[in-house]
Amino acid sequence: MAPYNFLVMTCKMRTLSTSILKHLACAMACASCVKQVTPLGPGRLIVNSSPSDTIVRNDSGAVTRDTSLGFRLNSMASVQTDGFFLPLASSDGMRLAWQQQSNFNWPLLLALPEASLAARGVVAVRALDELEPTHTWNGAFMLGRSCNSDGVLVESPQPDGTRWIGVLPWEGGDARWLVRDAKVNAFASVGPRGELAWSHREIGEAEFSLTVERPEGKFEWPRKDNESWLLPIVATDGIFAAHLRDGVLELAYLPLRPGQSMTTIESRSAILRKSISIRGSEKMAYQCIGSLPPDRAVLADGSLLFFHPDLGRMAIWQPNNDTITALPFGTLSATATGPKQLLISFRDHLATLSLPVDSVRGPVTLLEDAWIARAPSGEGSSPGRIILLLPTSQQCKIAELNFN
């Protein structure tokens, strides 16, 4: 699940998109503990050729980079949306889920105490190459952050103030409720082994606790008074989350490998933290890591892709050596297409970026317009196949990008 956080819209939208754009435009640069990279020369793209990457430096020191690659862009049927959420692509790249209609706003999305108790939404799914939805669900259904082979996660705000977490099956049918109790449950995500992680709070309270259901058993994240744990991401070798207390927003990582167990008390000293803003809020936390599907946010080396609020761009946090690498200024989204390449979105174009980030191999423009890339990450996905999303106020264009 991702609201249209980082795109310039040509049509009127709810205050969500414009408010985030203003937030990003006013972001201040912060040099502390950040690797800053400035490309030394422009990149030139040569399409429909054998893949190559040539760097030439002349006598004056100027750098020219020629990148050649072949790709095909196939337009798919657009989807009608509520102008608030981006569609969610399944991990194998074969299906789409999207919020077709809703009355949702920021308080509802963030499960805040002041959120409306009259939520209404329609979620739809289809195979990627279908023209129309194959199944729709009408009710208090809010598109979730992730999906698996069974279906797509949804949240369901209830009239009594509680919130449930469930799965809508790809094949249609009733929702299957995973968390259905007297609490406000939100921000759920699924992990690579079927883990379920989510935040929860009591009705009337403001701060969230965090729970992870693992094959090894239930893990309760440690929490002190007046702090909140949000937006968990289960990776192969650990768990990421956002931490908020007294306006300080941090990224957090708990190393926890498959087969390893840890008590709540033991985990307190094991959590690694990185402060990214002293002006933090629940909205900012969502803008930073809630905009990327959890299975696309963690790179092959275990580092985390996120939007840095103070740098005003995408960045990579490697918790094992506590470094942050800033991506080019103006990057609004990013997805890995392999261990050595990212597709990065700007306000008006989509570009490729080589990893590791350096001063020579800067971004090379691939497509005009602010396409958002989603690289399939699960079993059954086709190598080199990317799903592209281009939202407007009432629909989202869909395309399939294939690298040769």
Side-chain angles (χ1 to χ4, degrees):
M1 172 181 63
Y4 297 169
N5 279 349
F6 309 127
L7 297 177
V8 176
M9 297 300 159
T10 58
C11 303
K12 278 191 175 181
M13 298 184 63
R14 290 176 216 177
T15 56
L16 176 69
S17 298
T18 54
S19 65
I20 301 179
L21 288 171
K22 290 177 182 178
H23 170 80
L24 299 182
C26 295
M28 300 296 292
C30 171
S32 175
C33 301
V34 174
K35 177 183 177 182
Q36 182 65 48
V37 175
T38 303
L40 300 181
R44 300 184 297 187
L45 179 66
I46 306 170
V47 298
N48 296 325
S49 179
S50 300
S52 67
D53 198 30
T54 303
I55 305 294
V56 177
R57 188 187 301 270
N58 65 22
D59 293 339
S60 66
V63 174
T64 299
R65 176 189 182 191
D66 286 344
T67 297
S68 66
L69 53 86
F71 65 91
R72 300 186 310 276
L73 185 66
N74 302 319
S75 179
M76 318 296 284
S78 299
V79 296
Q80 175 191 336
T81 70
D82 68 339
F84 194 71
F85 291 106
L86 277 174
L88 186 66
S90 63
S91 57
D92 61 5
M94 301 302 292
R95 301 179 179 92
L96 284 177
W98 67 97
Q99 193 80 49
Q100 197 172 65
Q101 299 176 26
S102 82
N103 67 341
F104 303 148
N105 54 16
W106 272 113
L108 265 170
L109 174 64
L110 300 173
L112 299 179
E114 64 267 26
S116 170
L117 301 181
R120 302 185 307 276
V122 178
V123 172
V125 301
R126 80 172 200 210
L128 182 67
D129 55 2
E130 293 283 345
L131 297 178
E132 299 291 339
T134 52
H135 306 286
T136 59
W137 291 264
N138 192 337
F141 293 114
M142 177 184 288
L143 189 67
R145 298 174 60 211
S146 61
C147 54
N148 57 20
S149 59
D150 295 331
V152 58
L153 285 182
V154 291
E155 297 178 16
S156 183
Q158 299 297 302
D160 63 358
T162 62
R163 184 181 293 223
W164 304 345
I165 295 169
V167 174
L168 300 181
W170 294 115
E171 296 78 15
D174 295 336
R176 179 167 59 89
W177 299 111
L178 306 177
V179 185
R180 185 176 178 177
D181 54 26
K183 297 181 180 181
V184 180
N185 302 286
F187 316 128
S189 67
V190 292
R193 298 184 299 144
E195 301 96 334
L196 179 69
W198 74 99
S199 301
H200 51 88
R201 63 173 176 82
E202 301 293 336
I203 294 177
E205 294 185 356
E207 291 79 23
F208 285 90
S209 300
L210 196 155
T211 296
V212 185
E213 290 276 9
R214 309 172 65 232
E216 294 80 9
K218 181 181 290 188
F219 172 72
E220 299 290 348
W221 199 275
R223 189 179 78 84
K224 299 178 181 179
D225 291 341
N226 300 318
E227 69 178 2
S228 204
W229 290 100
L230 310 165
L231 301 153
I233 297 174
V234 181
T236 301
D237 292 327
I239 304 166
F240 289 93
H243 174 260
L244 187 63
R245 185 176 187 180
D246 296 331
V248 177
L249 178 61
E250 297 178 322
L251 301 178
Y253 176 70
L254 175 65
L256 191 61
R257 296 180 176 86
Q260 179 184 7
S261 295
M262 188 178 296
T263 66
T264 299
I265 295 177
E266 291 171 339
S267 67
R268 289 185 186 275
S269 59
I271 295 175
L272 306 176
R273 302 169 184 250
K274 189 68 172 180
S275 177
I276 58 173
S277 181
I278 59 173
R279 300 178 297 275
S281 64
E282 291 85 357
K283 180 189 287 188
M284 182 181 289
Y286 199 96
Q287 291 170 331
C288 292
I289 65 175
S291 60
L292 290 177
D295 62 335
R296 273 81 163 187
V298 182
L299 300 180
D301 64 355
S303 56
L304 180 72
L305 274 170
F306 73 102
F307 186 87
H308 199 300
D310 287 350
L311 296 179
R313 67 188 75 184
M314 295 296 295
I316 301 171
W317 178 45
Q318 175 50 264
N320 293 329
N321 56 24
D322 193 28
T323 60
I324 285 183
T325 300
L327 299 190
F329 184 77
T331 45
L332 307 176
S333 183
T335 193
T337 60
K340 295 184 178 182
Q341 186 185 54
L342 295 176
L343 282 180
I344 55 176
S345 302
F346 294 84
R347 294 174 184 267
D348 56 3
H349 67 280
L350 178 71
T352 64
L353 183 69
S354 299
L355 292 176
V357 179
D358 60 36
S359 60
V360 175
R361 289 179 171 83
V364 177
T365 297
L366 185 66
L367 295 171
E368 298 299 326
D369 293 326
W371 290 95
I372 298 291
R374 295 290 186 251
S377 60
E379 295 183 5
S381 59
S382 300
R385 180 169 177 266
I386 313 296
I387 309 303
L388 298 182
L389 310 172
L390 183 62
T392 62
S393 60
Q394 295 182 336
Q395 69 172 6
C396 184
K397 294 182 179 180
I398 310 295
E400 180 186 28
L401 177 67
N402 288 275
F403 287 107
N404 295 345

